[in-house]
Amino acid sequence: MPATAPNTRRDLFRGSIQVLVLSILADGPQHGYAIQQQLDLALGQTLSASSLYPLLHKLESETWIGSTDTTHRGRPRKVYQLTTTGTRHLKHAAADWQATIA
Protein backbone atom coordinates (compact mmCIF):
# COMPACT_ATOMS: atom_id res chain seq x y z
CA MET A 1 0.00 0.00 0.00
CA PRO A 2 1.53 3.36 -0.99
CA ALA A 3 2.33 5.97 1.63
CA THR A 4 -0.28 8.65 2.17
CA ALA A 5 0.45 11.73 0.08
CA PRO A 6 1.30 14.83 2.16
CA ASN A 7 -1.73 16.75 0.83
CA THR A 8 -4.05 13.85 1.66
CA ARG A 9 -2.73 13.68 5.22
CA ARG A 10 -3.14 17.45 5.62
CA ASP A 11 -6.70 17.32 4.25
CA LEU A 12 -7.65 14.49 6.60
CA PHE A 13 -6.17 16.45 9.50
CA ARG A 14 -8.15 19.57 8.62
CA GLY A 15 -11.37 17.65 8.15
CA SER A 16 -11.18 15.86 11.47
CA ILE A 17 -9.70 18.51 13.75
CA GLN A 18 -13.05 19.53 15.28
CA VAL A 19 -13.80 15.93 16.25
CA LEU A 20 -10.29 15.52 17.63
CA VAL A 21 -10.60 18.61 19.82
CA LEU A 22 -14.01 17.48 21.08
CA SER A 23 -12.63 14.03 21.87
CA ILE A 24 -9.75 15.58 23.84
CA LEU A 25 -12.25 17.60 25.85
CA ALA A 26 -14.36 14.48 26.43
CA ASP A 27 -11.58 13.40 28.82
CA GLY A 28 -12.02 16.56 30.88
CA PRO A 29 -11.53 20.34 30.83
CA GLN A 30 -8.31 21.64 29.26
CA HIS A 31 -6.71 24.96 28.48
CA GLY A 32 -5.74 25.76 24.90
CA TYR A 33 -2.05 24.97 25.23
CA ALA A 34 -2.81 21.55 26.73
CA ILE A 35 -5.20 20.84 23.83
CA GLN A 36 -2.49 21.86 21.39
CA GLN A 37 0.04 19.54 23.05
CA GLN A 38 -2.38 16.59 23.01
CA LEU A 39 -3.05 17.17 19.32
CA ASP A 40 0.70 17.24 18.69
CA LEU A 41 1.15 13.93 20.54
CA ALA A 42 -1.80 12.23 18.90
CA LEU A 43 -1.07 13.34 15.36
CA GLY A 44 2.60 14.13 15.26
CA GLN A 45 1.59 17.38 13.62
CA THR A 46 1.47 20.85 15.13
CA LEU A 47 -1.64 22.98 14.98
CA SER A 48 -0.60 26.60 15.43
CA ALA A 49 -2.20 28.78 18.07
CA SER A 50 -3.44 31.03 15.26
CA SER A 51 -5.46 28.05 13.99
CA LEU A 52 -6.43 26.48 17.31
CA TYR A 53 -7.95 29.47 19.09
CA PRO A 54 -10.29 30.49 16.24
CA LEU A 55 -11.40 26.85 16.11
CA LEU A 56 -12.06 26.86 19.86
CA HIS A 57 -14.10 30.07 19.47
CA LYS A 58 -16.07 28.48 16.64
CA LEU A 59 -16.79 25.38 18.72
CA GLU A 60 -17.89 27.64 21.55
CA SER A 61 -20.21 29.62 19.27
CA GLU A 62 -21.74 26.27 18.17
CA THR A 63 -22.28 25.57 21.93
CA TRP A 64 -20.28 22.34 21.61
CA ILE A 65 -17.80 23.60 24.19
CA GLY A 66 -17.91 26.15 26.98
CA SER A 67 -15.15 28.05 28.69
CA THR A 68 -14.28 29.38 32.11
CA ASP A 69 -11.76 32.12 32.86
CA THR A 70 -9.22 31.10 35.50
CA THR A 71 -5.82 32.14 36.75
CA HIS A 72 -2.79 29.85 36.82
CA ARG A 73 0.46 31.05 38.40
CA GLY A 74 -0.79 34.60 38.17
CA ARG A 75 -1.63 34.34 34.47
CA PRO A 76 -5.15 34.41 33.09
CA ARG A 77 -6.22 31.18 31.40
CA LYS A 78 -9.34 30.03 29.67
CA VAL A 79 -10.33 26.44 30.37
CA TYR A 80 -12.52 24.70 27.81
CA GLN A 81 -14.97 21.89 28.52
CA LEU A 82 -17.33 19.78 26.45
CA THR A 83 -21.02 20.63 26.74
CA THR A 84 -23.96 18.23 26.56
CA THR A 85 -24.58 19.41 23.01
CA GLY A 86 -20.91 18.84 22.22
CA THR A 87 -21.08 15.32 23.61
CA ARG A 88 -24.03 14.51 21.35
CA HIS A 89 -22.26 16.04 18.34
CA LEU A 90 -19.08 14.09 19.13
CA LYS A 91 -20.99 10.79 19.25
CA HIS A 92 -22.60 11.47 15.86
CA ALA A 93 -19.36 12.71 14.31
CA ALA A 94 -17.40 9.73 15.63
CA ALA A 95 -20.00 7.34 14.20
CA ASP A 96 -19.81 9.13 10.84
CA TRP A 97 -16.00 8.96 10.93
CA GLN A 98 -16.07 5.23 11.71
CA ALA A 99 -18.49 4.63 8.82
CA THR A 100 -16.25 6.64 6.50
CA ILE A 101 -13.06 4.77 7.30
CA ALA A 102 -14.80 1.38 7.23
Side-chain angles (χ1 to χ4, degrees):
M1 184 178 207
T4 303
N7 287 342
T8 302
R9 182 177 290 157
R10 186 183 68 235
D11 292 343
L12 286 171
F13 177 77
R14 286 180 181 163
S16 59
I17 192 68
Q18 288 183 0
V19 175
L20 292 170
V21 170
L22 294 175
S23 68
I24 288 169
L25 292 174
D27 290 335
Q30 298 282 332
H31 55 81
Y33 183 69
I35 295 168
Q36 185 180 36
Q37 287 184 313
Q38 287 191 27
L39 288 170
D40 290 353
L41 285 173
L43 301 170
Q45 188 168 352
T46 300
L47 181 67
S48 68
S50 62
S51 295
L52 177 61
Y53 287 99
L55 172 63
L56 291 171
H57 293 177
K58 180 182 184 295
L59 295 175
E60 196 167 15
S61 72
E62 296 285 346
T63 69
W64 295 339
I65 66 172
S67 64
T68 305
D69 292 322
T70 64
T71 303
H72 181 71
R73 295 183 184 168
R75 293 180 51 202
R77 291 246 172 145
K78 190 173 274 202
V79 175
Y80 299 93
Q81 65 277 341
L82 196 60
T83 64
T84 304
T85 305
T87 301
R88 279 194 303 269
H89 178 73
L90 176 58
K91 286 180 184 175
H92 288 104
D96 288 347
W97 178 248
Q98 289 298 324
T100 300
I101 62 173

